[in-house]
Amino acid sequence: MRRDIAAAAMELFATKGYEATTVDEIAAAAGVARRTFFRHFRSKEEAIFPDHDDTLERVKAVLDAAPPHEYPLDTVCRGIREVMRMYAAQPAVSVERYRLTREVPTLREREIASVSRYERLFTRYLLGHFDEGAHQDGDDDPLLAEVAASAVVTAHNHVLRRWLRAGAQGEVEGQLDRAFAVVRARFAGVGLPHGPTGRGGAQAGAAGPPAVLTAGGEGSDVLVALARTDAPLSEVMRTIEKALNRG
């Protein structure tokens, strides 16, 4: 029922305009009573985003079911893929919704509020997986968790917006992989995970991002790479390539 009402709303917004469409018209187009509309949505702008509540629950399930050895940022990246799947399930609707949110300030604010819910969820998750020794004595500021969560959401939204601007054409999984690799590389060496090995220790079996160090003075053609033995080869090669390009 929620999806039927949302589909009717989107069609009316596209043909008649958001401001000119009323709740009564949406209910009539969906074949339901006005009170039925309000059982599912508090306002007409809320009907634009019918799936975020369910998607948030799916994201929570990914975090809750994460294996204990998984690198925390990898878990968060897996979780936010549920959001991309939500948009990809109805590409035409997603493109139209993107157009509307760009044109209607009220809808843009609603979208921003939805994004913040994911960021808060990821921040809470990452707070439980940081190296406690990385904080100064008496400092419980969750800055690192907030920055990491925001970085993952920003990377996801960058890929999502580019895909929507292209009319939801093309694959996005590879683009997400590349965007998330950038985020993981930036957080290498900041003491993100702590786990069974104790405070500040790496989690057993965790495939954290590889660290790459350059050696030699100006003009040197030597690159020294340091990587975990269980780091994915693709991650190692991507990080080395970036280091070479910077040189």
Side-chain angles (χ1 to χ4, degrees):
M1 180 65 71
R2 281 175 62 85
R3 293 198 177 200
D4 288 344
I5 296 173
M10 287 294 297
E11 185 173 349
L12 283 170
F13 294 157
T15 58
K16 191 174 180 181
Y18 173 79
E19 297 295 346
T21 300
T22 66
V23 168
D24 287 336
E25 289 171 330
I26 296 172
V32 300
R34 176 185 172 90
R35 64 178 178 277
T36 301
F37 176 94
F38 284 112
R39 263 204 305 270
H40 293 279
F41 302 104
R42 286 171 295 186
S43 62
K44 68 177 183 179
E45 61 263 21
E46 194 172 277
I48 292 286
F49 307 101
D51 300 322
H52 274 300
D53 288 343
D54 291 341
T55 303
L56 191 66
E57 290 304 314
R58 289 198 300 275
V59 173
K60 287 179 182 177
V62 171
L63 302 184
D64 292 342
H69 62 271
E70 186 172 42
Y71 186 58
L73 272 182
D74 286 343
T75 304
V76 171
C77 289
R78 283 200 303 111
I80 202 169
R81 285 179 188 273
E82 294 296 327
V83 182
M84 182 64 77
R85 292 187 183 106
M86 175 192 73
Y87 284 94
Q90 295 181 296
V93 172
S94 297
V95 170
E96 180 60 23
R97 179 163 54 192
Y98 177 72
R99 184 189 66 80
L100 283 169
T101 56
R102 302 281 69 76
E103 295 176 356
V104 183
T106 303
L107 298 182
R108 190 156 55 247
E109 291 168 7
R110 173 72 65 175
E111 182 185 43
I112 292 170
S114 296
V115 169
S116 69
R117 295 170 68 191
Y118 296 109
E119 285 193 13
R120 288 196 300 270
L121 175 64
F122 294 145
T123 298
R124 288 195 299 270
Y125 178 79
L126 291 174
L127 276 172
H129 295 79
F130 280 161
D131 177 3
E132 297 165 3
H135 298 288
Q136 297 178 359
D137 291 341
D139 180 13
D140 62 351
D141 186 353
L143 176 62
L144 189 58
E146 291 182 0
V147 170
S150 178
V152 171
V153 172
T154 298
H156 167 273
N157 289 348
H158 172 79
V159 173
L160 174 62
R161 285 193 296 267
R162 186 165 56 189
W163 180 69
L164 291 173
R165 285 196 297 266
Q169 299 297 312
E171 63 85 31
V172 293
E173 289 298 323
Q175 296 179 54
L176 280 178
D177 288 340
R178 289 188 290 275
F180 293 154
V182 170
V183 174
R184 286 194 296 270
R186 293 302 177 266
F187 281 89
V190 298
L192 249 177
H194 72 272
T197 58
R199 282 178 58 149
Q203 293 177 327
V212 174
L213 308 175
T214 55
E218 184 177 353
S220 171
D221 58 358
V222 176
L223 175 73
V224 178
L226 239 251
R228 290 178 56 93
T229 57
D230 57 355
L233 180 60
S234 59
E235 287 287 344
V236 177
M237 297 306 297
R238 271 198 296 265
T239 311
I240 291 174
E241 184 180 5
K242 286 179 186 176
L244 289 171
N245 289 337
R246 284 198 296 268

